[in-house]
Amino acid sequence: MSSLLRCNIASLFLFLLHSAIAATGPIPEKTRVLLLAVTDDWNSTQTTLQIFRRNPPVSSWTAIGPSQQVHLGRYGLAWGRGIHPPQKGVQKREGDKKSPAGIFSLGSILYGYAAQLSFPGWRYHCVSDRDLWIEDPTSLNYNRHLILNPHEPFPDNHLFDRMRQDDPAHALKLFIQHNAPPHAEPGAGSAIFFHICRGIDSVTTGCTSMKEADLHALLQSFSPADQPLYILLPRSEYYRLRASWRLP
């Protein structure tokens, strides 16, 4: 086979690959559930979340159940690091109190204070005072869940990272995989969860919160087997990307 023919075949393969990605968008075919939240603008601190489901081989999305009120970061949104292509604009940073915008996979483990909790299809971990979620950008364990040995002295520099604190808002939560390991970028933001809201007009430091009953209903409506994704976008970006990303 000549080098010219090999080059042409390689070019054709790349063209077909890029065409396929453009045709399908960033949402994998195996994804059956989307959690979609569209805000008025980049400065919004609350909006509604709607669940959509599809059943292969049917490709259209169908809204499931009522929408739910959710609370976002104190200073609105910034582009996060998820499964979507990188976007121009303000990027999520550690401590900016902004919720990450984009498309994000979800964790498969629920974390909570209750000794036992059961949601179909979910694994559950009861957090203790030895559970940490590392938010230090200089740590090799940045944006990871760690469990300290029960006989290990508690390091003072990790007091802020404790997952079990005197805060009912974190009595149940699910990791939103923004800037998730093993590709976590130091300083790009960590510890982004779905969790319980603190009040009617509450804001978060970057998470998405909702009423406890709504969070329970949400977790009962899908499971990790659905390969769910969370999509959070300002309305202008949603309409700009809706067709190319094949959004509902």
Side-chain angles (χ1 to χ4, degrees), residues 112-132:
Y113 294 171
Q116 293 183 343
L117 203 59
S118 179
F119 288 94
W122 292 97
R123 289 186 292 162
Y124 176 71
H125 175 77
C126 175
V127 298
S128 72
D129 57 3
R130 311 299 287 181
D131 283 89
L132 307 177

Side-chain angles (χ1 to χ4, degrees), residues 129-238:
D129 57 3
R130 311 299 287 181
D131 283 89
L132 307 177
W133 199 282
I134 307 302
E135 300 182 50
D136 178 2
T138 66
S139 172
L140 294 176
N141 293 307
Y142 182 53
N143 207 15
R144 290 180 183 272
H145 172 218
L146 294 182
I147 303 177
L148 294 176
N149 185 299
H151 304 294
E152 180 181 355
F154 198 98
D156 291 338
N157 62 326
H158 282 307
L159 289 174
F160 180 77
D161 297 322
R162 288 181 302 176
M163 294 182 69
R164 191 179 187 109
Q165 302 187 29
D166 186 19
D167 186 357
H170 292 276
L172 177 62
K173 57 187 182 180
L174 170 65
F175 181 42
I176 298 169
Q177 294 186 346
H178 155 72
N179 196 33
H183 305 296
E185 177 184 298
S190 63
I192 304 298
F193 293 90
F194 282 115
H195 66 74
I196 301 167
C197 67
R198 296 181 175 87
I200 296 176
D201 297 318
S202 65
V203 292
T204 73
T205 57
C207 297
T208 298
S209 69
M210 63 193 75
K211 294 179 181 178
E212 183 174 7
D214 288 344
L215 181 56
H216 279 246
L218 183 77
L219 296 172
Q220 289 169 347
S221 66
F222 69 95
S223 74
D226 293 311
Q227 300 291 318
L229 297 175
Y230 176 41
I231 303 175
L232 175 62
L233 292 170
R235 183 166 285 106
S236 60
E237 298 300 315
Y238 170 72

Side-chain angles (χ1 to χ4, degrees), residues 61-83:
W61 295 101
T62 301
I64 303 297
S67 60
Q68 300 169 338
Q69 186 76 24
V70 295
H71 304 271
L72 304 170
R74 178 178 300 277
Y75 298 125
L77 281 63
W79 282 114
R81 301 182 74 242
I83 69 167

Side-chain angles (χ1 to χ4, degrees), residues 41-105:
D41 54 44
W42 286 100
N43 298 315
S44 297
T45 59
Q46 58 183 315
T47 188
T48 56
L49 181 149
Q50 179 66 58
I51 301 174
F52 290 85
R53 180 177 286 275
R54 67 180 178 186
N55 296 307
V58 177
S59 60
S60 60
W61 295 101
T62 301
I64 303 297
S67 60
Q68 300 169 338
Q69 186 76 24
V70 295
H71 304 271
L72 304 170
R74 178 178 300 277
Y75 298 125
L77 281 63
W79 282 114
R81 301 182 74 242
I83 69 167
H84 56 278
Q87 302 292 311
K88 295 180 180 179
V90 177
Q91 306 295 310
K92 168 71 182 168
R93 303 303 300 170
E94 187 69 42
D96 63 4
K97 295 182 173 60
K98 293 178 181 288
S99 293
I103 304 179
F104 307 95
S105 300

